[in-house]
Amino acid sequence: MSIVAEDRVMVPARSGRAVRLPAGDRIRVVDLAGGQVGDLFAFADPTSGQTELTEYLSAAHTRAQTERVFPAVGDDLVTDQRRPILTLVADGSPGRHDMLIAACDATRYAGLGVPGHPSCAQNLADALADLGLSAAVVPQPVNVFMNVPVDPDGGLSWLPAPTDPGDSITFEAAIDCVVVVSACPQDLTGINGDGPTDLALDLLRSH
């Protein structure tokens, strides 16, 4: 089997994009400018014409499966039904990816004093709507390039994403799925460095 790049989908800063990824195909998330977090969601693609997505990539179930707090190359990421949905097959970045932090949402930003701020939860809903789909829940994403280490006492540190321009991470679909990536709009903590920037999604088809 060979893998070839067929398409690039741009994810403008503070927005999200959804793509359908058949089993065996790959998606490469590229940090174009460096220092940008991407909230990655994945859902099992229904085959019956259903438009509400119910089975989803679960960070909690994945941590139990891999016995790791953070993902590494070779790890299978699993759904809430414990089925593999994506495999992390390549990592051309410093390798810091978070599986602890929930997607930012309207309530989070209201609590920070900025109601109406763009959020990854809304980006997820908007991106799925572009495909005529919706999600029953907002799952905790895999936050690619996000650097939130766990301190020895169990505390969390919110550090800037350590990626350089062009760094990337690649996943292979284990089942037909819908993948959504949000270029996280968080600009009130330091996770996105000087501010949110664009990401790109390279769709790599199997032949």
Side-chain angles (χ1 to χ4, degrees), residues 139-150:
Q140 180 191 324
V142 174
N143 298 303
V144 298
F145 313 134
M146 187 171 179
N147 190 12
V148 181
V150 180

Side-chain angles (χ1 to χ4, degrees), residues 46-205:
T47 57
S48 61
Q50 176 183 343
T51 59
E52 184 177 69
L53 307 177
T54 56
E55 183 181 358
Y56 55 85
L57 167 59
S58 167
H61 290 80
T62 296
R63 292 195 302 269
Q65 170 76 16
T66 62
E67 299 183 344
R68 296 176 51 84
V69 175
F70 306 116
V73 172
D75 283 351
D76 287 328
L77 312 183
V78 302
T79 71
D80 59 309
Q81 297 184 27
R82 301 187 187 275
R83 289 201 299 164
I85 185 169
L86 295 174
T87 302
L88 203 174
V89 295
D91 192 356
S93 80
R96 301 300 301 180
H97 312 289
D98 169 74
M99 291 199 300
L100 297 175
I101 305 301
C104 58
D105 54 27
T107 303
R108 167 72 164 154
Y109 286 114
L112 292 172
V114 284
H117 193 285
S119 72
C120 288
Q122 189 60 53
N123 288 346
L124 169 65
D126 292 344
L128 289 177
D130 287 342
L131 296 183
L133 301 170
S134 64
V137 299
V138 177
Q140 180 191 324
V142 174
N143 298 303
V144 298
F145 313 134
M146 187 171 179
N147 190 12
V148 181
V150 180
D151 302 331
D153 64 356
L156 301 176
S157 299
W158 299 75
L159 304 181
T163 40
D164 292 323
D167 283 358
S168 66
I169 186 170
T170 305
F171 301 91
E172 182 172 301
I175 60 174
D176 292 349
C177 58
V178 178
V179 177
V180 180
V181 175
S182 169
C184 182
Q186 175 61 264
D187 52 10
L188 304 173
T189 70
I191 63 168
N192 288 319
D194 293 333
T197 55
D198 299 348
L199 298 173
L201 308 178
D202 290 337
L203 305 181
L204 312 172
R205 306 302 188 185

